[in-house]
Amino acid sequence: MSSDQTSVTGPLRIGVAGLGTVGGGTLKLLQEQSELLQRRCGRRIEVVAVSARDRRKTREVEISALRWHDRAEALATDTEVDAVVELIGGADGAALALCEAALANGKHLVTANKALLAHHGTALAQAAEAAGVNLGYEAAVAGGIPIIKALREGLAGNRIEGAYGILNGTCNYILTAMHDGVRSGQVQSFETVLNEAQRLGYAEADPATDIDGIDAAHKLAILTSVVFGCPVNFDAVHIEGIRHINAIDIEYALELGYRMKLLAIARDAPNGIEQRVHPCMVPENAPIAHVDGVFNAVVVKGDFVGTTMFEGPGAGAGPTASAVVADLIDIARGQMVPTFAVPAKSLSPRSFAPMAKHVGTYYIRLMVVDRPGVIAEIAACLRDQQVSVEAMIQRARDPDEAVPVVLTTHEAEEAAVTRAVAAMAKLGSILETPCMIRIETL
Ligand code: NAP
Ligand code: HSE
């Protein structure tokens, strides 16, 4: 740790790697709020060095007075830097090299990089705690919502039964636009809405990471570790994205009293911890059903507090910078809590439940040939797997075209529903791959 670190009056000197959406926003916030931050921390937070890919790129913030490093890793050995802020992105490569080097050199580390933490979070936490420095990552989960602080501090007196939420702003933005399009009769294409999310700086460098559910899964793996005090286990997350969601399913969801959301769920279930990210139908009257646009929300169930819900902007320059700076304020004030709520050496492995063992209710949409006997064939597939039907809708009548048949089930084990749907897909009367969406009663 550099010598000025022990001084409570000297500035906290930071080096920032990555000057894109989040890096730019962070520098802007630190510049514009410098007096406020000084009052709140009792010392200044001063950016002294930066690094990005292209030195000649025009930036929205003034960086000419700051020391420039072509190699981000050089920030880790810069003797004028007390804390390194990693805002490059990516699970490995330059981001990982910088973070490992920063901790090895006794620098505090702040990162917004959930991919990195999902894959290397436990090792980085161990390195940070061994070095006696902070590893701050508030910005990595749910953007501007201070959910890590809430779990590690505000709710620390509770045994947490589970947490779920909307953790990807881009997907929620797309699903909200699809919902609004269905309601207004003016459906926008998936590409148009995704382009807008990219333009607004919400999407990852590769937006497939967002729409295939991987980004939400990275955040869920981190959240699970904080909630259950176990090592981060990204490989145990069941992941499905939103590519297969059609306007017709959003329309049926509304008709059945639900809204479509991509949820990330961590739950202590009878067969082990469930970590799952997938589209869900959630009851229209649940508060999370009305979290729209780029907003995220996290619902936490604690044994003493009961149910709490945190909602706010989940992506974008300002909200993410707000979270990055919150971690810097902790460092400037000398506040330190265990990275994943318990000391890294005390994180205890837990067993994770396979998705096949999940018990829930399901929506199934089939595109069928409209002829006598089809419904009996479909019902037989469900009967053979002991899956009970709760409701069925078949409204259209058209002997020349495929018509939708929608079923909802009573509670059933996922393995049985999957086998029933696979059997339906083989029927000659089913014209498209069946669509199965889980219904969450919450
Ligand atoms: P971005 O706009 O693409 O910015 C990435 C920055 O990293 C750019 O300034 C780029 O340099 C720099 N960079 C790339 N490779 C580098 C390297 N090898 N060495 C040094 N700098 C390098 O990304 P972002 O949206 O700000 O995201 C940054 C991180 O925050 C990611 O981990 C992301 O997942 C996370 N995050 C983003 C959001 C959001 O709303 N965008 C929210 C929460 C968390 P150039 O500018 O020179 O190309
Ligand atoms: N791409 C992410 C999202 C950024 O859309 O939520 C915030 O982590």
Side-chain angles (χ1 to χ4, degrees), residues 112 114 139-143 167-171 201-204 210 215 219 294 296 314-316 320:
K114 50 272 170 152
V141 183
L167 296 183
N168 185 270
T170 302
C171 286
Y202 304 155
E204 295 303 303
D210 295 296
D215 176 74
K219 294 165 181 167
V294 73
N296 282 192
T320 314

Coordinates of all heavy atoms in Angstrom, one line a residue, residues 112 114 139-143 167-171 201-204 210 215 219 294 296 314-316 320, ligand 2:
A112 N -16.3 -2.6 -12.3 CA -17.7 -2.7 -12.7 C -17.9 -4.0 -13.4 O -19.0 -4.2 -14.0 CB -18.2 -1.5 -13.5
K114 N -18.6 -7.5 -14.1 CA -19.3 -8.7 -13.6 C -18.8 -10.0 -14.2 O -18.8 -11.0 -13.5 CB -20.8 -8.6 -13.7 CG -21.4 -8.2 -15.0 CD -21.4 -6.7 -15.2 CE -21.7 -6.4 -16.6 NZ -22.4 -5.1 -16.8
A139 N -20.9 -1.5 -8.8 CA -21.4 -1.2 -10.1 C -21.6 -2.5 -10.9 O -22.2 -2.5 -12.0 CB -20.4 -0.3 -10.9
A140 N -21.0 -3.6 -10.5 CA -21.1 -4.8 -11.3 C -22.5 -5.5 -11.2 O -22.8 -6.3 -12.1 CB -20.0 -5.8 -10.8
V141 N -23.3 -5.2 -10.2 CA -24.6 -5.8 -10.0 C -25.7 -4.8 -9.9 O -25.7 -3.9 -9.0 CB -24.6 -6.7 -8.8 CG1 -26.0 -7.4 -8.7 CG2 -23.5 -7.7 -8.8
A142 N -26.6 -4.8 -10.9 CA -27.8 -3.9 -10.9 C -27.4 -2.4 -11.0 O -28.2 -1.6 -10.5 CB -28.6 -4.2 -9.7
G143 N -26.3 -2.1 -11.7 CA -26.0 -0.7 -12.0 C -26.0 0.3 -10.9 O -25.3 0.1 -9.9
L167 N -31.9 -8.1 -13.7 CA -30.5 -7.7 -13.6 C -29.9 -7.3 -14.9 O -28.7 -7.0 -14.9 CB -29.7 -8.8 -13.0 CG -30.0 -9.3 -11.5 CD1 -29.1 -10.4 -11.1 CD2 -30.0 -8.1 -10.6
N168 N -30.7 -7.3 -15.9 CA -30.1 -6.8 -17.2 C -31.0 -5.7 -17.8 O -32.1 -6.0 -18.2 CB -29.9 -8.0 -18.2 CG -29.2 -7.5 -19.5 OD1 -29.9 -7.1 -20.4 ND2 -27.9 -7.5 -19.4
G169 N -30.4 -4.5 -17.9 CA -31.2 -3.4 -18.3 C -31.6 -3.5 -19.8 O -32.7 -3.1 -20.2
T170 N -30.6 -4.0 -20.6 CA -30.9 -4.1 -22.0 C -32.1 -5.0 -22.3 O -33.0 -4.7 -23.1 CB -29.6 -4.7 -22.7 OG1 -28.5 -3.8 -22.4 CG2 -29.8 -4.8 -24.2
C171 N -32.1 -6.2 -21.7 CA -33.2 -7.1 -21.9 C -34.5 -6.5 -21.4 O -35.6 -6.7 -22.0 CB -33.0 -8.4 -21.2 SG -31.8 -9.5 -22.0
G201 N -25.8 3.3 -24.5 CA -24.6 2.8 -23.7 C -25.0 1.7 -22.7 O -24.3 1.4 -21.7
Y202 N -26.2 1.0 -22.9 CA -26.6 0.0 -21.9 C -26.0 -1.3 -22.2 O -25.7 -2.1 -21.3 CB -28.2 -0.2 -22.0 CG -29.0 1.1 -21.7 CD1 -30.3 1.2 -22.2 CD2 -28.5 2.1 -21.0 CE1 -31.1 2.3 -22.0 CE2 -29.3 3.3 -20.7 CZ -30.5 3.3 -21.2 OH -31.3 4.4 -21.0
A203 N -25.8 -1.6 -23.5 CA -25.5 -3.0 -23.9 C -24.0 -3.3 -23.7 O -23.2 -2.4 -23.7 CB -25.9 -3.2 -25.4
E204 N -23.7 -4.6 -23.6 CA -22.3 -5.0 -23.5 C -21.6 -4.8 -24.8 O -22.3 -4.7 -25.8 CB -22.2 -6.4 -23.0 CG -22.7 -6.7 -21.6 CD -22.0 -5.8 -20.5 OE1 -20.8 -5.9 -20.4 OE2 -22.7 -5.0 -19.8
D210 N -25.9 -9.8 -23.4 CA -27.1 -9.4 -22.7 C -28.3 -10.3 -23.1 O -29.0 -10.8 -22.2 CB -27.4 -7.9 -23.2 CG -26.4 -6.9 -22.7 OD1 -26.3 -6.8 -21.5 OD2 -25.7 -6.3 -23.6
D215 N -25.1 -12.0 -19.2 CA -24.7 -10.8 -18.3 C -25.5 -10.9 -17.0 O -25.0 -10.8 -15.9 CB -25.1 -9.5 -19.0 CG -24.8 -8.3 -18.1 OD1 -23.7 -8.0 -17.9 OD2 -25.8 -7.7 -17.6
K219 N -24.1 -11.5 -13.0 CA -24.5 -10.8 -11.8 C -25.1 -11.7 -10.8 O -24.9 -11.5 -9.6 CB -25.5 -9.7 -12.3 CG -24.9 -8.6 -13.2 CD -25.9 -7.8 -13.9 CE -25.3 -6.7 -14.8 NZ -26.3 -6.1 -15.7
V294 N -34.9 0.5 -18.8 CA -33.6 0.1 -18.4 C -33.5 -0.2 -16.9 O -32.4 -0.6 -16.4 CB -32.5 1.1 -18.8 CG1 -32.6 2.4 -18.0 CG2 -31.1 0.6 -18.8
N296 N -33.6 -1.8 -13.2 CA -33.4 -3.1 -12.6 C -34.2 -3.1 -11.3 O -34.5 -2.1 -10.8 CB -31.9 -3.4 -12.3 CG -31.1 -3.8 -13.5 OD1 -29.9 -4.2 -13.3 ND2 -31.6 -3.6 -14.7
G314 N -30.4 0.4 -14.1 CA -29.5 -0.7 -14.1 C -28.3 -0.6 -15.0 O -27.4 -1.5 -15.0
A315 N -28.2 0.4 -15.8 CA -27.1 0.6 -16.7 C -27.1 2.1 -17.2 O -27.9 2.9 -16.8 CB -27.4 -0.3 -18.0
G316 N -26.0 2.4 -17.9 CA -25.8 3.7 -18.4 C -24.7 4.4 -17.6 O -24.3 4.0 -16.5
T320 N -24.1 4.0 -13.3 CA -23.0 3.1 -13.0 C -21.8 3.9 -12.4 O -21.2 3.4 -11.4 CB -22.5 2.4 -14.3 OG1 -23.7 1.9 -15.0 CG2 -21.6 1.2 -14.1
Ligands
HSE2 N1 -25.3 -4.5 -20.3 C1 -25.7 -4.4 -19.0 C2 -27.2 -4.2 -18.9 C3 -25.0 -3.2 -18.4 O1 -27.8 -4.0 -19.9 O2 -27.8 -4.4 -17.8 C4 -25.2 -3.0 -16.9 O3 -24.6 -4.0 -16.2

